[in-house]
Amino acid sequence: MAENAEPSEETLNKPIQENKRTTEEEKRQDLSSLLLPNPKDLPQIPPTAVETNFSSYFVADFMKPGHDQYIYRHANGLCVIGLARAHLALTETGGVTVVDFNVGKSDRSELKVTGKRKRNALQFESNSALCKVSTNGNSYIVRCCVKGSLLEVNDRLIKQPDLLNSSADREGYVAIIMPKQGEWLKIKDSFLSYEEYVQLRGLS
């Protein structure tokens, strides 16, 4: 009789197949939630390359009032040195018009560092001069801020000083220095964080 008929194999396997599909769908949703962030959790403005790859430090009034500089430190220890937003030279009408790396006893732009060991790299103190930047009425010495080996200066600034006015924290950087780990640990706590610097100078 029909009422005594055994259920077919397809009928028996149907709940198992449905459970399998449900489990696979849940796995896909879980994976999607990991790979695709919720748009509501994303910042309104994407982080810059500097914010992503570097830790930002600032020094205000370095040796003279208004001589503000930044130190962007990469995870490998390299420090990018440049003029901070509130540096006097960047606030003057017309901004920076001339950059001269011929300071001290040598022309920093003639520096040639070679090999993995960075041969020929000059050792500088934190107060050593990197270059002189001039505006229409004044000149300012830009300094190392950290003690270490000078690996590179941005010689593009010689022909394109306006890079300091338009993008001092990117293409307009001044130099790259490699401090020793011990020296860095000694001095880093004396620097300001980005938040502290912005608050100090009333920037937005």
Side-chain angles (χ1 to χ4, degrees), residues 85 192-204:
R85 287 167 57 190
L192 301 172
S193 67
Y194 173 77
E195 292 75 14
E196 290 170 334
Y197 179 70
V198 167
Q199 182 177 8
L200 175 69
R201 292 306 190 212
L203 303 173
S204 58

Side-chain angles (χ1 to χ4, degrees), residues 77-200:
L78 289 175
C79 291
V80 179
I81 311 298
L83 300 187
R85 287 167 57 190
H87 191 288
L88 285 177
L90 302 182
T91 64
E92 290 193 24
T93 302
V96 176
T97 56
V98 177
V99 177
D100 184 6
F101 285 100
N102 190 8
V103 291
K105 297 181 180 180
S106 63
D107 187 338
R108 313 305 195 213
S109 65
E110 295 179 354
L111 172 72
K112 301 298 179 185
V113 177
T114 60
K116 291 184 178 179
R117 296 182 180 275
K118 309 303 179 185
R119 293 171 183 162
N120 303 325
L122 298 176
Q123 300 297 312
F124 287 102
E125 298 294 325
S126 60
N127 62 352
S128 297
L130 286 171
C131 67
K132 179 173 69 174
V133 299
S134 299
T135 63
N136 289 326
N138 297 291
S139 61
Y140 306 88
I141 298 296
V142 182
R143 302 185 186 275
C144 294
C145 295
V146 295
K147 180 180 180 180
S149 303
L150 178 61
L151 305 184
E152 174 188 316
V153 298
N154 186 6
D155 56 9
R156 289 177 62 193
L157 298 177
I158 299 173
K159 293 184 177 180
Q160 297 176 270
D162 194 54
L163 287 174
L164 279 169
N165 304 317
S166 60
S167 56
D169 61 340
R170 298 186 301 280
E171 293 87 350
Y173 75 94
V174 173
I176 298 177
I177 295 176
M178 173 60 88
K180 292 182 178 179
Q181 180 67 8
E183 295 293 340
W184 173 255
L185 293 176
K186 287 180 185 178
I187 197 171
K188 74 167 189 171
D189 289 339
S190 66
F191 298 138
L192 301 172
S193 67
Y194 173 77
E195 292 75 14
E196 290 170 334
Y197 179 70
V198 167
Q199 182 177 8
L200 175 69

